Amino acid sequence: MLRLVTYNIHSGIGVDGIQSYRRIGEFLKQQQVDIALIQEMDTRPSQRDTDKDIEDLCAGHFSTLVPSPAIELEQGWYGNVILARFPVLFSHTLDVSQAGFQPRNVQEAVLQTERGALHVVNTHKGLNRLERRRQLALLDQHLRQTDVSGQLPLLVGGDFNEWQFFSSAFRHINQVLHPHPVAASFPTRWPLFRLDRIWSRPANIVRNATVLKTPETRIYSDHYPVLAEIELLR
């Protein structure tokens, strides 16, 4: 059984005000996570070293880190990351940024797991409702038109920033992928909103999906991670 999480790590800054990629990496290691879809990794602050940030997040556990910067500056970058204990066969970034808003992207990779290849998609959608609708339409179009993995098992996860309780935003993506509903994941001190979500194709590869609530995750970010247990059928 593979363990995959989607996790907005809030630049490594916990609700206690402490910035630490190391404690997040160590937690993922303790939880025996095989694949992590990370949003909001930020290596830009000048007082830190990008290589050290990457080393800390990998924590001697993940052999692969695939960056997908939405913002790149001379001193560092900000965006999505895929962490994996497996080799990467393919990776790609789709820019879904909308004029006037913070840059955003869709990150995808094909990983060679011990049970076969797995196609994963990691994304972080915008804060504005219209911006999100346009970004979701681009994601839906990409999933329908692009089959980079030859119908490999697919897992899509991320922070979708859709806070409305009765939203129709996912109507189209639900037509091509199977949603795995979980409880509210944001904010950690008083979870009200289901911002962090997971879909799969086929449906039966996800045996269980849950918000990973522990004393650590209550502190390490303002989002709880969402954990999916995946069984790839040969």
Side-chain angles (χ1 to χ4, degrees):
M1 196 82 72
L2 297 178
R3 291 170 63 84
L4 177 148
V5 300
T6 177
Y7 197 2
N8 182 326
I9 61 172
H10 194 233
S11 301
I13 302 172
V15 296
D16 57 0
I18 295 173
Q19 197 287 329
S20 175
Y21 289 129
R22 185 69 187 184
R23 67 182 182 180
I24 293 172
E26 288 293 338
F27 174 79
L28 296 174
K29 179 179 179 179
Q30 291 165 8
Q31 291 290 319
Q32 298 182 314
V33 171
D34 298 294
I35 303 164
L37 310 180
I38 300 293
Q39 304 90 46
E40 291 196 21
M41 182 168 184
D42 194 349
T43 72
R44 293 172 297 175
S46 58
Q47 70 271 24
R48 299 204 313 274
D49 177 78
T50 297
D51 290 340
K52 182 66 163 54
D53 285 345
I54 291 172
E55 179 185 349
D56 285 349
L57 194 57
C58 289
H61 176 67
F62 297 104
S63 58
T64 301
L65 182 147
V66 183
S68 183
I71 300 172
E72 291 188 85
L73 301 175
E74 183 177 350
Q75 66 268 32
W77 49 266
Y78 168 90
N80 300 322
V81 164
I82 294 175
L83 300 171
R85 294 180 50 250
F86 313 107
V88 176
L89 302 178
F90 169 90
S91 65
H92 173 71
T93 293
L94 173 68
D95 186 3
V96 295
S97 302
Q98 301 296 306
F101 298 100
Q102 184 182 49
R104 304 282 183 176
N105 65 43
V106 174
Q107 178 187 24
E108 63 181 331
V110 175
L111 307 174
Q112 184 59 56
T113 79
E114 297 161 350
R115 298 282 296 179
L118 174 66
H119 184 187
V120 296
V121 173
N122 176 29
T123 191
H124 185 194
K125 296 296 180 271
L127 298 174
N128 178 272
R129 181 178 178 273
L130 183 57
E131 174 195 15
R132 283 197 304 278
R133 294 299 188 272
R134 292 170 176 168
Q135 292 167 344
L136 283 166
L138 290 170
L139 174 60
D140 176 66
Q141 181 183 34
H142 182 70
L143 292 172
R144 290 175 187 270
Q145 295 182 352
T146 305
D147 185 14
V148 298
S149 56
Q151 290 298 321
L152 292 175
L154 171 64
L155 199 298
V156 175
D159 173 7
F160 287 80
N161 267 321
E162 186 61 41
W163 57 267
Q164 297 180 78
F165 292 106
F166 303 103
S167 172
S168 62
F170 304 114
R171 180 176 69 257
H172 294 298
I173 193 172
N174 288 344
Q175 293 172 358
V176 293
L177 300 177
H178 182 81
H180 299 279
V182 296
S185 58
F186 177 87
T188 53
R189 293 232 168 137
W190 191 268
L192 291 174
F193 305 110
R194 293 175 54 209
L195 303 188
D196 306 279
R197 297 171 181 257
I198 285 179
W199 287 261
S200 74
R201 184 182 66 205
N204 64 355
I205 65 170
V206 175
R207 296 308 174 94
N208 182 54
T210 186
V211 175
L212 192 54
K213 293 183 178 181
T214 72
E216 295 87 356
T217 57
R218 187 175 184 272
I219 300 297
Y220 289 175
S221 174
D222 56 350
H223 288 247
Y224 281 112
V226 172
L227 170 70
E229 294 179 309
I230 301 167
E231 185 171 4
L232 298 182
L233 306 176
R234 291 181 174 176

